[in-house]
Amino acid sequence: MRLIISPDYDQCSQWAADYVAYKIKAARPTESKPFVMAVPAGSSPLGMFERLINMFRKGKLSFQNVVIFNMDEYVGLSPEDEHSYHYFLWKNFFDHIDIKKKNVHLLNGQTTDFAKECTAYEKLIRSYGGIDLLIGGIGGDGHIAFNEPGSSLASRTRVKALNKNTIKANARFFGNDINAVPKNVLTIGIATIMDAKEVMIIASGDRKANALQHAVEGGINHMCPISILQMHPHALIVCDDEATSELKAETVRLFKDNEEVKMPQRKK
Ligand code: GLP
């Protein structure tokens, strides 16, 4: 695992955006061999989206041959509903870049056949040869996408009910009205995430400190789903100083040292 520690959210977002741009360019994607990404909704990726949009506007990056999947969606919300992740991702990212509509694949929260929707989603991911770079945020309890504590570490895309903590945490997007938050969601599973060739997590602020501490220093456990990344061959967590506040000073030093050693090699 790589832990990239930046002083603040802005620098975290810059690192994440630069990395995405580097990966897309390095892949030299074509129409028949696109670069496949998964992106989260939520506040964590917003700074990265903004920077990727700027790179596109300046002509430095194109998404013409990029395919994007999303991680999760609320059940029952239409794509036009401003609380849906569908709406959120188009408004904050896709509407501002040159991605082709046919290359955007989002879970349909309005489906009435959950099993069919989820199986088809997994199949579609496989049809592209899997996800090259999966980008995620984390919940304060270590959830990833909507895989909350207690989720099977072998789970796949499925429908599930949200726990009270997540409903409370996400009420901020629903005018702080807990009753307005949908109780059921569609989410890719932990096994779906682990299948991605590379996973990059963005974690910012002290709200994420406990989850990050468990993910990095704790054992792998379904009560902190993000901890499964210890088993991923290419996982990186981009975080800021505040998010590392529960880590041991020794852990922080180790990962900072690792990056210092890597830096000159990457510049070659
Ligand atoms: C949610 C979403 C996740 C998101 C996480 C963190 O519950 N389902 O996809 O990554 O919370 O959200 P935020 O980035 O707003 O802190």
Side-chain angles (χ1 to χ4, degrees):
M1 179 189 284
R2 285 178 71 188
L3 193 63
I4 317 291
I5 307 169
S6 297
D8 56 31
Y9 176 67
D10 280 348
Q11 289 178 65
C12 247
S13 302
Q14 188 64 53
W15 198 100
D18 287 344
Y19 193 70
V20 170
Y22 158 73
K23 292 297 289 187
I24 293 176
K25 286 178 195 169
R28 297 173 188 269
T30 60
E31 173 92 38
S32 58
K33 181 99 191 49
F35 186 74
V36 184
M37 291 186 2
V39 297
S43 47
S44 302
L46 287 175
M48 177 190 73
F49 288 161
E50 194 185 311
R51 286 161 177 83
L52 289 171
I53 291 166
N54 278 337
M55 288 177 197
F56 161 68
R57 287 189 178 142
K58 287 181 183 157
K60 291 183 178 163
L61 183 64
S62 169
F63 294 84
Q64 281 280 323
N65 294 317
V66 172
V67 165
I68 298 188
F69 286 86
N70 79 328
M71 313 266 286
D72 42 17
E73 182 58 284
Y74 291 106
V75 167
L77 299 192
S78 73
E80 294 77 36
D81 188 314
E82 59 180 35
H83 298 110
S84 71
Y85 285 169
H86 190 117
Y87 182 93
F88 179 94
L89 288 169
W90 275 98
K91 179 170 163 265
N92 291 296
F93 192 27
F94 309 147
D95 270 339
H96 311 282
I97 55 175
D98 61 343
I99 193 158
K100 295 172 188 148
K101 208 166 180 201
K102 71 173 177 71
N103 284 350
V104 174
H105 303 295
L106 308 180
L107 281 161
N108 174 13
Q110 284 192 306
T111 185
T112 49
D113 191 338
F114 300 123
K116 192 173 165 204
E117 172 73 15
C118 296
T119 308
Y121 207 63
E122 290 274 340
K123 201 171 159 198
L124 192 59
I125 293 173
R126 279 198 304 276
S127 75
Y128 282 105
I131 294 168
D132 294 307
L133 177 63
L134 181 140
I135 305 166
I138 48 172
D141 57 4
H143 76 248
I144 176 164
F146 270 128
N147 298 286
E148 301 161 301
S151 291
S152 162
L153 298 179
S155 53
R156 290 274 163 197
T157 305
R158 66 203 183 288
V159 63
K160 67 184 285 298
L162 289 180
N163 73 28
K164 283 190 184 161
N165 284 341
T166 309
I167 292 173
K168 250 191 248 167
N170 288 2
R172 69 189 195 280
F173 295 113
F174 292 80
N176 287 319
D177 178 3
I178 288 183
N179 296 320
V181 184
K183 306 292 177 280
N184 296 298
V185 293
L186 296 176
T187 181
I188 61 170
I190 307 264
T192 324
I193 293 165
M194 291 299 282
D195 278 352
K197 289 164 200 150
E198 188 166 9
V199 178
M200 177 171 80
I201 300 298
I202 303 169
S204 161
D206 51 14
R207 204 162 56 87
K208 307 295 169 75
N210 283 325
L212 192 66
Q213 189 277 330
H214 190 137
V216 177
E217 295 177 339
I220 297 168
N221 193 294
H222 65 165
M223 293 311 284
C224 181
I226 186 77
S227 64
I228 190 67
L229 289 187
Q230 293 175 28
M231 289 293 290
H232 196 287
H234 299 290
L236 56 106
I237 302 181
V238 187
C239 60
D240 57 12
D241 280 337
E242 277 190 18
T244 66
S245 57
E246 294 293 331
L247 289 175
K248 289 183 195 146
E250 189 189 345
T251 306
V252 171
R253 173 64 20 230
L254 178 137
F255 282 102
K256 283 191 172 169
D257 283 352
N258 286 353
E259 289 310 310
E260 267 169 35
V261 173
K262 277 198 187 89
M263 284 302 210
Q265 292 173 348
R266 216 178 302 127
K267 279 182 188 151
K268 265 183 204 168

